[in-house]
């Protein structure tokens, strides 16, 4: 059984505010960890005070309300439930923008490996979507598993940092999303949408085309890659750059992605993660090599083995903290997830998949 003290499972339903209230109340300890993690990170690496981060976060309120006013209601609910200010919860939801916009902490991006396998290549005949999520290990204790039952939108199952309303997961419409950080030194001018808010919009979608529209109807305030898939047997790699995007379809039944731009349309972008995370090339190469080396259809056990790969350790697909790096710059795999979109279930490993057991979670 999964250690629910480390990744507590929270079920919330009702209005957006009520969903947020439950989130805040039941994950109060984890919200505190998230706030302390980012309060320290913003100051240690950019000398951004928490008060200034919160002030910057407030500049996104009108854009979020224009995108979907339900999201600010849910954020207010989390604030009231956890006892923190609305602007503090908002700062968590725009933490990527504070970290990445303008290259403020360009060397401090997460280093994740994502994948999608469609029924064309899977032994189960279902779409398997997932990733290793690599980030600051201090934030592992701030993560939760949310199951959200909504009144007018699809139900959502996601793994998120407490306080953040959109992250890695799937919904009852049979679609799911994962995330890779990308970065550029080019700023997005004017109105822009935070990437985690866009992820919630994607999880509130009914189809893959709706998902693409949800994250491209406005400019994103920082770069990102979303691997998305559907129970209809489709997978898409969606790269979003400064003011532009491109999508690759899983024509051969599978796709993998790491932390650098790969679509031809975005080759003009000044890609700063190529410099800050050179292991991105190696992790992508390993995924492609392992998949092409299979002489049968892909099994869940094969994906678990791929996610446990230690080639180029410690900066491998299964990432371990590098003891030679300063403590604040170390990254590790916080969790590994394999989602079956047809069956609406996921295999979840709380930590490095080389040593953490995958647990089947289904609501």
């Amino acid at each position: 059984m999964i250690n629910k003290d480390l990744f507590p499972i929270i079920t919330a339903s009702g209005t957006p505010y009520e969903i947020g209230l439950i989130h805040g109340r039941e994950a109060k300890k984890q919200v505190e960890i998230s706030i302390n993690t980012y309060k320290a990170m913003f100051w240690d690496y950019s000398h951004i005070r928490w008060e200034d981060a919160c002030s910057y976060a407030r500049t996104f309120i009108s854009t979020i309300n224009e995108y979907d006013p339900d999201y600010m209601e849910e954020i207010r609910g989390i604030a009231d439930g956890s006892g923190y200010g609305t602007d503090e919860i908002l700062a968590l939801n725009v933490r990527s923008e504070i970290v990445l916009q303008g290259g403020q902490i360009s060397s401090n991006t997460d280093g994740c490996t994502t994948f999608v396998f469609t029924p064309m290549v899977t032994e189960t005949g279902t779409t398997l979507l997932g990733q290793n999520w690599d980030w600051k290990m201090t934030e592992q204790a701030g993560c939760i598993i949310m199951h959200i039952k909504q009144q007018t939108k699809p139900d959502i199952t996601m793994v998120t940092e407490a306080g953040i309303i959109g992250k890695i997961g799937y919904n009852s419409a049979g679609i799911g999303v994962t995330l890779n950080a990308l970065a550029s030194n080019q700023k997005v001018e004017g109105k822009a949408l935070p990437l985690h808010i866009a992820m919630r919009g994607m999880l509130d979608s009914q189809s893959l085309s709706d998902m693409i529209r949800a994250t491209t109807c406005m400019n994103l305030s920082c770069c990102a890659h979303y691997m998305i898939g559907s129970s209809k047997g489709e997978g898409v790699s969606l790269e979003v750059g400064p003011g532009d995007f491109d999508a690759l379809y899983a024509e051969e039944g599978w796709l993998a992605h790491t932390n650098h731009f790969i679509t031809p349309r975005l080759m003009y972008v000044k890609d700063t993660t190529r410099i800050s995370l050179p292991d991105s090339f190696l992790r992508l190469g390993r995924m492609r090599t392992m998949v092409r080396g299979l002489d049968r259809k892909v099994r869940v056990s094969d994906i678990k083995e791929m996610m446990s790969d230690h080639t180029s350790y410690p900066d491998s697909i299964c990432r371990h903290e590098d003891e030679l790096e300063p403590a604040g710059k170390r990254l590790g795999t916080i969790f590994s997830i394999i989602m079956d979109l047809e069956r609406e279930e996921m295999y979840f490993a709380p930590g490095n998949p080389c040593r953490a057991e995958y647990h089947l979670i289904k609501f």
Side-chain angles (χ1 to χ4, degrees):
M1 176 150 319
I2 191 170
N3 181 351
K4 293 182 181 179
D5 290 330
L6 186 58
F7 285 88
I9 297 173
I10 297 170
T11 298
S13 61
T15 65
Y17 178 82
E18 290 167 341
I19 289 168
L21 196 64
I22 294 168
H23 179 160
R25 283 175 177 168
E26 296 195 19
K28 186 172 184 177
K29 179 177 73 173
Q30 289 77 21
V31 169
E32 180 180 18
I33 292 169
S34 291
I35 286 176
N36 287 337
T37 294
Y38 290 109
K39 186 182 293 186
M41 182 188 297
F42 297 159
W43 178 253
D44 290 345
Y45 287 92
S46 287
H47 291 289
I48 299 173
R49 298 181 308 159
W50 182 243
E51 295 80 5
D52 294 331
C54 292
S55 179
Y56 174 68
R58 287 194 293 271
T59 67
F60 287 95
I61 291 176
S62 63
T63 301
I64 295 171
N65 279 327
E66 180 181 343
Y67 184 69
D68 191 327
D70 286 350
Y71 299 158
M72 279 307 305
E73 284 300 301
E74 190 166 329
I75 286 170
R76 290 186 184 98
I78 296 171
D80 289 348
S82 65
Y84 285 94
T86 299
D87 57 348
E88 294 183 283
I89 303 303
L90 189 58
L92 293 178
N93 282 272
V94 303
R95 61 90 163 162
S96 294
E97 287 65 32
I98 298 168
V99 168
L100 296 173
Q101 178 75 336
Q104 290 166 325
I105 317 177
S106 60
S107 63
N108 224 28
T109 57
D110 58 345
C112 307
T113 303
T114 63
F115 60 84
V116 64
F117 297 99
T118 72
M120 184 191 304
V121 299
T122 59
E123 186 179 71
T124 57
T126 58
T127 304
L128 300 175
L129 172 73
Q131 74 174 102
N132 279 2
W133 187 57
D134 307 336
W135 192 224
K136 311 301 177 189
M137 293 306 295
T138 55
E139 181 59 1
Q140 185 180 54
C143 291
I144 59 176
I145 298 171
M146 287 288 300
H147 182 58
I148 302 173
K149 299 178 180 180
Q150 304 190 98
Q151 295 174 334
T152 60
K153 298 172 182 174
D155 294 345
I156 294 171
T157 300
M158 68 176 177
V159 186
T160 187
E161 300 168 82
I164 295 179
I165 67 168
K167 197 74 176 181
I168 298 153
Y170 59 92
N171 71 16
S172 57
I175 55 178
V177 59
T178 64
L179 172 68
N180 299 95
L182 298 176
S184 169
N185 64 352
Q186 298 168 246
K187 289 187 176 182
V188 176
E189 302 297 338
K191 181 174 63 179
L193 185 68
L195 74 85
H196 284 98
I197 299 298
M199 290 190 82
R200 180 52 178 272
M202 297 171 86
L203 286 168
D204 280 339
S205 300
Q206 296 284 352
S207 66
L208 282 191
S209 57
D210 287 344
M211 269 191 149
I212 295 171
R213 185 179 299 110
T215 196
T216 59
C217 63
M218 293 182 178
N219 285 333
L220 282 195
S221 44
C222 59
C223 306
H225 168 263
Y226 302 111
M227 191 73 79
I228 59 178
S230 82
S231 60
K232 306 298 182 184
E234 295 182 297
V236 172
S237 170
L238 181 63
E239 288 186 352
V240 184
D244 201 358
F245 74 95
D246 199 8
L248 298 177
Y249 189 83
E251 297 177 2
E252 297 181 3
W254 65 277
L255 292 165
H257 205 286
T258 50
N259 298 100
H260 60 280
F261 287 95
I262 61 176
T263 61
R265 180 182 177 88
L266 296 174
M267 285 298 98
Y268 68 90
V269 173
K270 176 66 175 178
D271 185 344
T272 57
T273 44
R274 291 190 304 171
I275 300 168
S276 60
L277 288 174
D279 54 88
S280 178
F281 299 100
L282 307 179
R283 287 181 284 115
L284 181 59
R286 280 298 295 159
M287 281 296 294
R288 290 173 171 175
T289 299
M290 288 188 287
V291 174
R292 289 168 180 157
L294 290 175
D295 58 1
R296 50 178 159 72
K297 292 207 168 184
V298 179
R299 301 170 179 168
V300 170
S301 60
D302 294 325
I303 301 174
K304 291 178 180 179
E305 186 174 343
M306 293 174 197
M307 294 297 99
S308 301
D309 186 69
H310 281 159
T311 303
S312 298
Y313 180 95
D315 301 326
S316 39
I317 291 173
C318 181
R319 185 184 291 271
H320 293 257
E321 289 187 305
D322 188 346
E323 300 298 329
L324 299 179
E325 290 277 1
K329 290 189 175 183
R330 295 174 190 170
L331 300 177
T333 296
I334 287 183
F335 66 82
S336 183
I337 184 172
I338 305 167
M339 298 173 274
D340 188 317
L341 300 180
E342 280 83 345
R343 296 173 179 172
E344 292 185 34
E345 61 187 25
M346 66 179 179
Y347 296 90
F348 181 77
N352 287 96
C354 65
R355 58 193 180 204
E357 180 184 355
Y358 281 89
H359 302 268
L360 179 62
I361 298 176
K362 183 179 179 70
F363 292 93

